[in-house]
Amino acid sequence: MAINYPNGKKFVPQKEQQTDPKKKKKKKDFSFSNRGKTLEDELNETNDYYLQLGRAVIHKKPVPVQIVRVEYPSRSAAVIKEAYFRSPSTTDYNGVWNGKYIDFEAKETENKTSFPLKNIHEHQIHHMAQVRKHDGLAFLIIRFSSLDRYFIVPFEAFEFFWNRMMDGGRKSVTLAEIEETGIELKPGAFPRIDYLPQLHKFQ
Amino acid sequence: MAINYPNGKKFVPQKEQQTDPKKKKKKKDFSFSNRGKTLEDELNETNDYYLQLGRAVIHKKPVPVQIVRVEYPSRSAAVIKEAYFRSPSTTDYNGVWNGKYIDFEAKETENKTSFPLKNIHEHQIHHMAQVRKHDGLAFLIIRFSSLDRYFIVPFEAFEFFWNRMMDGGRKSVTLAEIEETGIELKPGAFPRIDYLPQLHKFQ
């Protein structure tokens, strides 16, 4: 069974990724490698860690689905028998840190040289622009999975690349541009992707 | 077909409610009555209005479901064929207003004299307590549907009633207590439930 999320990203079971020989080669420091985890897994772990330590309250929103048919078997839980994936109208993660509203989208790419902008929906860009207007913090967390590199990119920088595409320019952001405008996050053990300390720089 | 949400509230089609003779009698001013809308409908309209006017960015979170089986018919969208309702780990609504993080739960009751606390999950109380620690605004919007009355109750007041129950006290909040600790919201046309102006009082 495979699950296709509305963003077109295919759900890949952990086992499959772990046995990928190309990935194995890169993992020199096993304890800090991503061990086949998706970026979503890593961010959920990180947010749980922040929550436990009282550092922030940030959650991933549920995948939006349109429920069409539900059955009620006797003596057991209701079963959804027909439903469809809906396009998300916002970003995936939001919450509160240090009195500030936090809002971000997380995406990974297997690409080694650039981040394709087709990974982001136009309404997500509009959403983040509105968040900024209301003085919330908006950003992206991007993982280059093949390179084991993570970046936090403030929305303003990202918006520039988006607008460049809308004006007929390139349909991706180069790794060099992300290195220049974002901040690299070095993955660790606890928390996995320690993005909170970087947010002070965005305020 | 009926949908039971995880909170046990039954989904009632609008038509059914509109033809309820008891309800009709109460509606003297048709243009400001709730016309069979659920509180969720009314808050979605209100939040859309706020968004259009650039006053706040507040969204309802999708209903959390555990997806078990998905099918991919050729030439059509993926269909979820088996899924289950999960208990929400947070409140239903959050967003940003005036630079502040906003977080609230919305509940309606047919009860005329009190609000039963079984409508709220314990982890939602914990969640709102954490939001307050991080200086976000947390509150409840309660509709007494039979009375056509709406209240906004700050989390601190609500927490008192919750703790009273946990200490062995009554399992509900009386209408009189809600009148005393909350602020009544008079429903209007645009926006339907104008709760934002009340938040200044909570800061």
Side-chain angles (χ1 to χ4, degrees):
Chain A
M1 184 211 63
I3 295 173
N4 259 316
Y5 287 106
N7 57 15
K9 190 171 76 67
K10 197 151 203 150
F11 171 76
V12 182
Q14 292 201 9
K15 225 173 173 180
E16 248 174 66
Q17 291 195 347
Q18 280 176 328
T19 54
D20 182 343
K22 268 185 286 175
K23 284 230 162 150
K24 275 255 162 100
K25 266 194 280 177
K26 259 182 241 116
K27 286 172 191 168
K28 281 166 190 163
D29 182 355
F30 186 77
S31 63
F32 288 93
S33 69
N34 66 41
R35 276 162 288 176
K37 282 178 185 155
T38 64
L39 179 57
E40 181 179 328
D41 292 335
E42 295 182 300
L43 286 169
N44 288 347
E45 282 175 23
T46 300
N47 290 334
D48 278 351
Y49 176 92
Y50 289 152
L51 191 63
Q52 297 303 322
L53 267 69
R55 288 181 56 193
V57 182
I58 296 164
H59 290 275
K60 184 180 180 295
K61 291 188 183 183
V63 175
V65 298
Q66 179 74 43
I67 297 164
V68 175
R69 195 162 59 87
V70 183
E71 282 183 12
Y72 300 93
S74 56
R75 278 188 287 268
S76 47
V79 191
I80 299 163
K81 300 292 277 184
E82 186 184 353
Y84 297 90
F85 292 107
R86 282 191 294 132
S87 212
S89 51
T90 64
T91 50
D92 272 358
Y93 298 85
N94 74 356
V96 60
W97 161 78
N98 206 19
K100 297 289 280 186
Y101 174 76
I102 304 299
D103 195 298
F104 66 97
E105 185 62 24
K107 290 287 179 212
E108 51 194 321
T109 180
E110 291 291 331
N111 205 306
K112 292 186 172 89
T113 54
S114 68
F115 176 78
L117 287 166
K118 69 173 184 328
N119 283 332
I120 305 288
H121 295 286
E122 187 167 6
H123 52 249
Q124 293 181 313
I125 296 290
H126 291 152
H127 171 72
M128 286 187 275
Q130 280 166 322
V131 166
R132 292 298 298 133
K133 267 190 212 158
H134 290 275
D135 202 23
L137 296 181
F139 53 92
L140 289 97
I141 292 180
I142 294 173
R143 174 170 113 174
F144 284 88
S145 303
S146 310
L147 308 174
D148 250 339
R149 294 182 70 183
Y150 301 73
F151 295 89
I152 180 165
V153 182
F155 173 67
E156 279 76 1
F158 197 82
E159 194 181 24
F160 170 83
F161 300 121
W162 182 268
N163 289 339
R164 181 176 65 184
M165 176 182 71
M166 297 307 273
D167 290 343
R170 55 178 299 145
K171 292 185 173 63
S172 64
V173 188
T174 67
L175 176 57
E177 286 170 336
I178 287 177
E179 286 171 330
E180 197 184 320
T181 57
I183 297 164
E184 185 156 7
L185 299 167
K186 294 292 181 190
F190 303 105
R192 182 70 192 136
I193 313 286
D194 198 12
Y195 61 90
L196 280 187
Q198 307 304 331
L199 301 185
H200 289 289
K201 298 172 189 162
F202 294 174
Q203 287 192 85
Chain B
M1 184 214 61
I3 293 173
N4 261 315
Y5 288 106
N7 56 15
K9 189 170 79 66
K10 198 149 202 151
F11 171 74
V12 182
Q14 294 199 8
K15 224 173 173 181
E16 247 175 66
Q17 292 194 346
Q18 279 176 329
T19 54
D20 181 344
K22 269 184 285 177
K23 284 233 162 148
K24 273 253 161 103
K25 266 193 281 177
K26 258 180 243 119
K27 286 170 192 173
K28 281 167 189 165
D29 181 356
F30 186 77
S31 62
F32 288 94
S33 70
N34 67 41
R35 277 162 288 176
K37 281 179 188 154
T38 63
L39 179 57
E40 181 178 328
D41 292 336
E42 296 182 299
L43 287 169
N44 288 346
E45 281 176 23
T46 300
N47 291 333
D48 278 352
Y49 176 91
Y50 288 152
L51 191 64
Q52 297 302 322
L53 268 70
R55 288 180 56 193
V57 183
I58 296 166
H59 290 275
K60 185 180 180 295
K61 290 187 182 183
V63 175
V65 298
Q66 178 73 44
I67 297 165
V68 175
R69 196 160 59 86
V70 184
E71 280 182 12
Y72 300 94
S74 56
R75 276 188 286 268
S76 47
V79 191
I80 298 163
K81 300 293 276 185
E82 185 185 352
Y84 297 90
F85 292 108
R86 282 190 294 131
S87 212
S89 51
T90 65
T91 50
D92 273 357
Y93 298 85
N94 75 355
V96 61
W97 161 77
N98 206 18
K100 297 286 282 185
Y101 175 76
I102 303 298
D103 195 298
F104 67 97
E105 185 61 24
K107 290 288 179 209
E108 51 194 322
T109 178
E110 290 291 332
N111 204 306
K112 291 186 173 87
T113 55
S114 68
F115 176 78
L117 287 166
K118 69 173 181 331
N119 283 332
I120 305 289
H121 295 285
E122 188 167 5
H123 53 248
Q124 293 181 313
I125 296 290
H126 292 309
H127 172 71
M128 286 187 275
Q130 280 167 323
V131 166
R132 291 299 296 130
K133 267 189 213 159
H134 290 275
D135 203 23
L137 296 180
F139 53 92
L140 288 97
I141 292 179
I142 294 173
R143 173 169 114 175
F144 284 88
S145 302
S146 309
L147 309 173
D148 250 337
R149 294 183 70 184
Y150 301 74
F151 295 90
I152 180 166
V153 182
F155 172 69
E156 280 76 2
F158 196 83
E159 194 181 24
F160 170 84
F161 301 122
W162 183 269
N163 289 338
R164 181 175 67 183
M165 177 183 71
M166 298 306 273
D167 290 343
R170 55 178 300 144
K171 292 186 172 60
S172 65
V173 188
T174 68
L175 176 58
E177 286 170 337
I178 286 176
E179 286 172 330
E180 197 185 322
T181 56
I183 298 164
E184 186 155 6
L185 299 167
K186 295 290 181 190
F190 301 104
R192 181 71 192 133
I193 314 286
D194 198 10
Y195 61 90
L196 280 187
Q198 307 304 330
L199 300 186
H200 289 289
K201 299 173 189 163
F202 293 175
Q203 288 190 86

